Amino acid sequence: MDEEIIIETLDRVEQELHNIRVEIHNLNKKLRTATNNTFVTSTGTNYLSIKDLCKFCSCGDTKARKIMAMLPHVRIGKQQYVLLQDLQKYIKENNGIVVHW
């Protein structure tokens, strides 16, 4: 009985690892696309808004704000923007983005 539970748990863990690998693969494709400057922002410029960061990083609003706080950014009114080139530079120099909660 215990052996069956262990096997089921291992199967679930393997499936979750597979899902994580697929997500990493998809993020890497997005990063390659952005590195080629083909990422289109909502502003039509090289400035990324919080909304753009959410789309670019496949994350929510809170995580996008944490990412923006780690980068040089500008504030126009209530909106914050980061340059796409600054984001790309940060990703290259740090081998990705690590956000601590």
Side-chain angles (χ1 to χ4, degrees), residues 4-60:
E4 290 177 17
I5 294 172
I6 292 171
I7 290 172
E8 288 175 10
T9 303
L10 285 174
D11 287 342
R12 283 194 306 267
V13 169
E14 286 177 354
Q15 182 60 42
E16 187 62 29
L17 282 173
H18 172 75
N19 293 341
I20 291 170
R21 286 186 188 110
V22 169
E23 186 174 339
I24 289 171
H25 174 74
N26 291 337
L27 287 173
N28 282 332
K29 282 177 28 178
K30 285 183 181 181
L31 289 175
R32 282 193 299 275
T33 300
T35 303
N36 294 330
N37 288 328
T38 57
F39 184 79
V40 178
T41 66
S42 62
T43 61
T45 66
N46 286 333
Y47 286 94
L48 300 170
S49 66
I50 294 293
K51 177 182 169 184
D52 294 326
L53 272 178
C54 290
K55 188 179 355 175
F56 182 82
C57 297
S58 297
C59 67

Side-chain angles (χ1 to χ4, degrees), residues 60-77:
D61 189 25
T62 303
K63 191 175 281 189
R65 290 182 189 281
K66 287 188 175 285
I67 292 168
M68 187 166 289
M70 297 181 330
L71 301 167
H73 59 278
V74 296
R75 181 182 293 274
I76 302 172

